Amino acid sequence: MVRVRVLVVDDHRIFAESLAAALAAEPDVEVSAAGSGPAALRCLERAAAEGRRFDVVLVDSDLGGNVPGARPAVPVREGDEDGLVDGISLVAGVRAAQPGMRTVVLAEKDDPRRAALALQAGACGWVAKDCSLSRLLTVIRGVLRDETHLPPALLTGVLRELTAARKHRTESERLVESLTPREREVLRCMVAGLGRKAVAERLYLSPHTVRTHMQNVLGKLGVHSTLAAVALARRAGVGPADLGPAGRIGVEESSSA
């Protein structure tokens, strides 16, 4: 029998444990639970290292109680509890770390905007927390067949949100294209959550030069904060810089500023 490995991520322990127990009663389902975004990513990393990857991650849409988009999705290092905490950001983080993983968002209420954000982040489904166990199992098995599941009542609203998002994305892409190669690399570092000093170390530039590049990025993107620049970059499909071993990270031009 092929077993489906499911990870439940919810910071309400009673709900997470109850759901995990209910799913574990199914003969073909193996379940684990995590109570935060960082804990979930560590769990996924351990499972991958052991060759026992999860198939589906069920993520609480209100994980951490943060508003989607309030902070960029930054890979969480061991022991860092200030990284991925919002449910939508966790979906994006899982997609970046393990692209083949299916994620389903569990929500207290239907919200077209957040459902659209979840789909854009890589979620395969949006399910009400008060749905039946049989419904949830149908969704879990459906996403493993590459199906996308949304409540019928959400379809119109989600399509409207995705259409609007596509328009914003086109404008965001145009603005990002106005940046120089160096400025785009600095922007990728900003998306990765690096501050001025860290960017300077990564690109072998002075903090003053990095400050100038960051100011130019904000000016060309027409925003007034790093957070707004990161949000616009995400809409344009700009991913974070690769934060592997210390050293140059894919700089597209010579080391001169």
Side-chain angles (χ1 to χ4, degrees):
M1 178 186 298
V2 178
R3 295 179 66 83
V4 179
R5 301 200 69 224
V6 178
L7 177 64
V8 178
V9 187
D10 197 300
D11 49 12
H12 293 85
R13 179 169 295 181
I14 293 177
F15 175 83
E17 292 180 351
S18 297
L19 178 56
L23 290 172
E26 296 295 312
D28 64 336
V29 179
E30 181 180 339
V31 191
S32 296
S36 69
L41 286 183
R42 290 196 294 271
C43 187
L44 293 172
E45 290 170 358
R46 285 195 300 269
E50 295 169 359
R52 302 175 65 252
R53 291 177 182 270
F54 286 93
D55 300 298
V56 180
V57 183
L58 304 179
V59 180
D60 174 23
S61 67
D62 296 321
L63 187 68
N66 285 355
V67 176
R71 62 188 305 160
V74 179
V76 175
R77 278 16 180 211
E78 185 70 25
D80 179 4
E81 293 298 328
D82 294 323
L84 294 170
V85 291
D86 172 73
I88 308 301
S89 291
L90 177 59
V91 170
V94 170
R95 182 184 187 182
Q98 301 189 34
M101 193 81 62
R102 274 74 166 186
T103 55
V104 175
V105 176
L106 304 178
E108 291 280 359
K109 61 181 180 179
D110 288 344
D111 184 330
R113 179 177 176 275
R114 299 192 69 181
L117 286 172
L119 293 179
Q120 289 175 306
C124 300
W126 177 281
V127 183
K129 280 190 172 184
D130 60 359
C131 74
S132 66
L133 181 62
S134 62
R135 168 62 182 164
L136 181 57
L137 287 167
T138 296
V139 172
I140 289 172
R141 293 180 175 124
V143 298
L144 289 173
R145 297 191 297 268
D146 292 326
E147 298 173 359
T148 299
H149 285 259
L150 283 172
L154 272 181
L155 286 177
T156 299
V158 168
L159 288 174
R160 186 182 301 115
E161 291 289 338
L162 291 176
T163 299
R166 190 176 300 114
K167 179 179 179 181
H168 290 313
R169 179 184 178 91
T170 299
E171 174 64 15
S172 299
E173 289 173 341
R174 185 186 65 78
L175 291 171
V176 169
E177 288 173 359
S178 71
L179 302 179
T180 67
R182 176 70 78 189
E183 289 165 352
R184 285 197 294 272
E185 194 60 45
V186 170
L187 178 61
R188 291 180 62 230
C189 290
M190 294 162 67
V191 172
L194 298 182
R196 188 192 312 166
K197 182 178 179 182
V199 175
E201 292 174 352
R202 285 283 169 174
L203 299 183
Y204 299 121
L205 300 172
S206 72
H208 176 75
T209 298
V210 170
R211 180 174 181 272
T212 298
H213 282 315
M214 287 183 165
Q215 289 176 336
N216 290 340
V217 167
L218 297 185
K220 289 183 178 181
L221 297 184
V223 296
H224 302 287
S225 69
T226 297
L227 184 60
V230 168
L232 187 150
R234 285 291 187 185
R235 287 198 299 272
V238 177
D242 179 13
L243 300 184
R248 190 173 304 281
I249 47 176
V251 178
E252 302 177 50
E253 61 180 20
S254 67
S255 61
S256 63

